[in-house]
């Protein structure tokens, strides 16, 4: 065990595969361990040994536990591991994955996933539950509307229209709804109300987080970033200084154009859509709201947005604002700056413009 310098771990619920090598890259251990014996095996590794795992379910828990043993636990995104699997896509198994993780961790330019704290994961659990409740609510509404249609009761495509008329329909004895159907739909209505209560409870906890966290409160100042987006950004990223600049943060969110450039000719396409789908969706949805109301505001960002909307159209303006908001959030939280909607960036060596005097 003292010869081991690097370990690749393929995590699973019951069986964990390990692939350990020495300083020369020679395989020392390659075997499967029961999940309850994995921690004891890792405790025998020399202090400072690199233990790499894929960023998957339970990975952050294991990483925190192994760091408590004095080991250098690191997480790697799954798509960075695949190219190092010797057998390619057709040879995927636990042993091959562990070997690929071990090899990927040795690359000098490999990018690792920051390990989340239990507090971060707790906040993200609220966000995940909220999204699940929203999906269940949509399914419940569609189910109720579809069943009512079978009896000739058609409602508009709006949850509010169904909410206002459902109770009256269930109480109306003149329609042809049988009694058993009324009871079943009443239960579905109560389930809908219960889901609304769960969503409201999640929103309340998210609002408390934004009020109590300085980073989330700073991010929520931007037009297009509400409490849910601000809370999700802070809980997902944690330390914003892990990104070199705002452009790198926007790229991590998948808000930059896809490139297909060659021979000195730059060709840009649609956004890459890499990274966290949830964060990107929140930023874009919030940007849509800000674009719709930009003409009502007089700050520099809103004026830029109105001009951009007239020049490139709705969709590009929305994505551009989402990317700009991501960069501004990085500047606020990584450098500790204060948000100024009228801030004008100045390149090194340029003279800053003199602000115009507003008429009294």
């Amino acid at each position: 065990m003292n010869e081991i310098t690097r370990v690749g771990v393929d995590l699973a619920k019951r069986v964990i595969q390990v692939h350990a090598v020495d300083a020369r890259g020679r395989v020392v251990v390659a075997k499967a361990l029961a999940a309850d014996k994995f921690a004891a095996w890792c405790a025998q590794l020399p202090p400072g040994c690199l233990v790499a795992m894929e960023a998957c379910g339970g990975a952050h828990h294991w990483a925190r536990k192994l760091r408590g043993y004095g080991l250098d636990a690191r997480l790697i995104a799954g798509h960075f591991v695949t190219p190092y699997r010797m057998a390619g896509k057709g040879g995927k198994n636990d042993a091959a994955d562990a070997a690929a993780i071990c090899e990927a961790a040795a690359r000098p330019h490999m990018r690792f996933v920051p390990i989340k704290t239990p507090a971060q994961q707790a906040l993200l659990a609220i966000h995940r539950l909220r999204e699940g409740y929203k999906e269940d609510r949509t399914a419940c509404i569609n189910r109720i509307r579809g069943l009512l249609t079978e009896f000739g009761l058609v409602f508009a495509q709006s949850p509010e229209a169904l909410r206002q008329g459902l109770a009256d329909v269930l109480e109306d004895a003149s329609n042809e709804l049988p009694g058993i159907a009324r009871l079943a739909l009443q239960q579905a209505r109560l389930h809908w109300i219960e889901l609304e209560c769960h969503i409201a409870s999640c929103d309340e906890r998210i609002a408390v987080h934004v009020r109590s966290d300085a980073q989330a409160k700073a991010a929520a100042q931007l037009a297009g970033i509400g409490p849910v987006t601000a809370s999700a950004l802070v809980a997902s990223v944690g330390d914003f200084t892990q990104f070199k600049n705002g452009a790198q943060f926007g790229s991590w969110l998948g808000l930059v154009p896809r490139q297909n450039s060659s021979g000195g000719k730059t060709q840009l396409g649609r956004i890459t859509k890499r990274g966290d789908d949830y964060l990107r969706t929140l930023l874009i949805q919030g940007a849509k709201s800000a674009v719709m109301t930009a003409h009502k505001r007089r700050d520099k960002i809103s004026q830029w947005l109105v001009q951009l909307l007239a020049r490139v159209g709705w969709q590009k303006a929305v994505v551009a604002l989402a990317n700009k908001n991501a960069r501004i959030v990085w500047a606020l939280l990584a450098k500790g700056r204060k948000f100024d909607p009228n801030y004008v960036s100045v390149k090194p060596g340029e003279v800053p413009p003199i602000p115009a005097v507003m008429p009294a």
Side-chain angles (χ1 to χ4, degrees):
M1 295 293 287
N2 292 329
E3 298 178 358
I4 297 175
T5 59
R6 189 173 68 253
V7 182
V9 181
D10 184 62
L11 296 173
K13 294 180 180 178
R14 295 180 177 84
V15 178
I16 297 178
Q17 183 78 32
V18 296
H19 185 93
V21 299
D22 59 14
R24 295 176 296 174
R26 182 174 60 89
V27 179
V28 179
V29 179
K31 64 178 181 179
L33 298 170
D36 55 352
K37 297 181 181 180
F38 173 64
W41 184 83
C42 290
Q44 302 175 28
L45 293 172
C49 177
L50 174 59
V51 182
M53 298 167 282
E54 272 191 1
C56 59
H60 292 275
H61 160 73
W62 281 114
R64 291 192 297 266
K65 191 167 187 176
L66 296 184
R67 285 195 170 183
Y69 294 157
L71 303 175
D72 184 12
R74 301 187 187 183
L75 303 181
I76 306 178
H79 60 275
F80 288 152
V81 174
T82 303
Y84 295 96
R85 192 186 300 123
M86 295 298 294
K89 293 183 179 180
K92 177 176 170 48
N93 54 58
D94 291 350
D97 286 347
I101 294 169
C102 186
E103 181 65 25
R107 300 302 93 197
H109 300 294
M110 178 56 60
R111 287 175 286 180
F112 297 96
V113 177
I115 298 172
K116 290 182 173 59
T117 64
Q120 285 180 265
Q121 289 189 288
L123 283 170
L124 289 175
I126 296 175
H127 284 271
R128 297 294 181 264
L129 287 171
R130 182 178 181 272
E131 286 300 297
Y133 293 143
K134 285 171 57 181
E135 293 177 3
D136 293 344
R137 180 182 62 181
T138 302
C140 182
I141 292 172
N142 292 338
R143 192 178 301 118
I144 293 173
R145 180 181 286 112
L147 292 173
L148 289 172
T149 304
E150 296 294 333
F151 298 96
L153 302 171
V154 180
F155 287 86
Q157 293 288 332
S158 166
E160 190 60 32
L162 181 61
R163 182 185 290 109
Q164 292 178 357
L166 182 56
D168 295 335
V169 166
L170 295 178
E171 295 294 333
D172 187 5
S174 63
N175 57 46
E176 63 173 13
L177 271 178
I180 188 172
R182 293 178 191 274
L183 292 175
L185 289 170
Q186 180 63 27
Q187 290 295 323
R189 178 172 173 268
L190 293 176
H191 180 54
W192 181 7
I193 295 173
E194 182 183 5
L195 291 172
E196 294 278 8
C197 293
H198 289 323
I199 295 173
S201 176
C202 292
D203 288 338
E204 183 179 352
R205 295 181 183 182
I206 290 172
V208 170
H209 170 232
V210 174
R211 289 196 300 266
S212 61
D213 188 276
Q215 286 190 319
K217 189 182 297 184
Q221 298 177 73
L222 278 68
I225 295 184
V228 175
T229 308
S231 174
L233 283 169
V234 172
S236 299
V237 179
D239 183 13
F240 282 80
T241 58
Q242 62 183 287
F243 299 101
K244 184 173 61 176
N245 50 41
Q248 191 180 77
F249 180 49
S251 177
W252 179 75
L253 290 169
L255 291 170
V256 297
R258 189 185 302 273
Q259 287 200 45
N260 186 22
S261 305
S262 180
K265 184 177 180 180
T266 302
Q267 294 184 356
L268 302 179
R270 300 183 177 184
I271 59 175
T272 62
K273 295 185 179 180
R274 294 179 179 175
D276 195 322
D277 293 341
Y278 180 60
L279 291 181
R280 185 172 58 255
T281 300
L282 289 176
L283 285 170
I284 290 179
Q285 293 295 336
K288 288 181 179 180
S289 175
V291 169
M292 292 176 63
T293 58
H295 63 281
K296 300 179 181 179
R297 298 186 297 271
R298 292 292 178 265
D299 57 274
K300 293 286 186 181
I301 295 178
S302 298
Q303 293 175 5
W304 164 81
L305 198 55
V306 171
Q307 297 173 1
L308 184 67
L309 181 62
R311 189 171 70 251
V312 303
W314 166 260
Q315 291 291 351
K316 291 183 179 179
V318 166
V319 175
L321 179 60
N323 192 15
K324 179 181 283 288
N325 280 342
R327 294 183 179 212
I328 294 175
V329 166
W330 177 86
L332 294 178
L333 304 186
K335 296 188 175 182
R337 296 180 178 177
K338 292 183 178 181
F339 175 63
D340 180 11
N342 293 309
Y343 173 79
V344 178
S345 61
V346 179
K347 294 181 179 180
E350 289 186 355
V351 178
I354 300 175
V357 179
M358 299 297 294

